[in-house]
Amino acid sequence: MEFYSLFLVALALSLDAFGVSLCIGLNKSIGRKNKIQFMSSFGFFQFFFAISGAYIGFLFNKYVAFVPKVVGGALVLAIGVLMLRDGLKNKNECLFVKPGMVTIVGISVSIDAFIIGFTVLNDMESSVNLLYSTLFIGAVTFLMSLFAFLISKYLRKIHIVSKYADYIGGIILIVFGIEMIFF
């Protein structure tokens, strides 16, 4: 996978975490320690699900049936549509942070990374490229979450901002899915 495509995938996957981080950051009662825990959780689970999905996708393609790029593109396109649909939902309140929520929220924003790993990353030339690619996805997610927490203190009065992250991520995944299907 080219760096440009990998960057777009990483960016699209990280926008869920960005939106959630922005929402969490808008809450004045969330401390620095909680923010670091959320950023680490988001980055780790994006990496973990991407590499797990790629490995399972490789095994599936090798031992069960080859999943053509058209099917993978359709799945990525569907994820993008689901992200857009989630953006249309009315998000009136921020996440309620209690013990254990860091893991639950980290997993919930990273499920799409598993599907991307399963459909897109499973045909990497080497395991080193796969490791670098998935670490890159995790790092981009960590940095996007950090960015969201940094700007959230300036955006606390605007409650609709976190909603746009789902739209942007959905559109990028839809375009990437169309590219996979037709090109």
Side-chain angles (χ1 to χ4, degrees):
M1 177 177 285
E2 295 178 18
F3 177 77
Y4 177 73
S5 297
L6 178 63
F7 180 73
L8 286 179
V9 168
L11 188 64
L13 289 173
S14 71
L15 288 176
D16 280 349
F18 178 85
V20 172
S21 297
L22 196 58
C23 183
I24 293 169
L26 292 174
N27 187 340
K28 294 179 184 179
S29 64
I30 304 299
R32 178 179 285 157
K33 180 181 175 184
N34 291 98
K35 291 176 184 178
I36 292 171
Q37 289 173 336
F38 276 107
M39 291 184 307
S40 299
S41 175
F42 295 158
F44 171 75
F45 284 114
Q46 288 283 8
F47 157 75
F48 179 74
F49 282 128
I51 201 165
S52 298
Y55 183 69
I56 291 171
F58 169 77
L59 293 176
F60 187 84
N61 286 341
K62 186 173 183 176
Y63 296 111
V64 179
F66 178 72
V67 178
K69 292 287 184 186
V70 173
V71 174
L75 287 172
V76 171
L77 185 96
I79 294 167
V81 170
L82 290 174
M83 285 180 71
L84 281 175
R85 188 191 69 167
D86 286 345
L88 293 173
K89 289 181 180 176
N90 192 8
K91 298 177 183 177
N92 289 330
E93 52 188 57
C94 192
L95 293 172
F96 182 70
V97 182
K98 359 181 218 188
M101 287 300 289
V102 170
T103 303
I104 293 169
V105 174
I107 290 171
S108 71
V109 300
S110 302
I111 295 295
D112 51 353
F114 182 83
I115 296 170
I116 294 297
F118 186 87
T119 57
V120 177
L121 300 176
N122 66 35
D123 63 351
M124 294 296 240
E125 299 84 37
S126 72
S127 57
V128 173
N129 285 343
L130 176 63
L131 180 64
Y132 288 146
S133 296
T134 54
L135 283 172
F136 182 75
I137 289 170
V140 168
T141 302
F142 181 87
L143 292 173
M144 287 295 288
S145 299
L146 173 64
F147 181 64
F149 283 129
L150 291 175
I151 65 171
S152 64
K153 63 183 174 184
Y154 299 108
L155 301 174
R156 285 193 175 131
K157 295 181 182 180
I158 304 172
H159 298 289
I160 199 167
V161 172
S162 65
K163 188 174 187 177
Y164 291 117
D166 290 331
Y167 294 128
I168 295 167
I171 290 169
I172 290 172
L173 286 177
I174 288 170
V175 169
F176 190 69
I178 290 170
E179 179 189 24
M180 286 176 63
I181 291 170
F182 295 110
F183 302 107

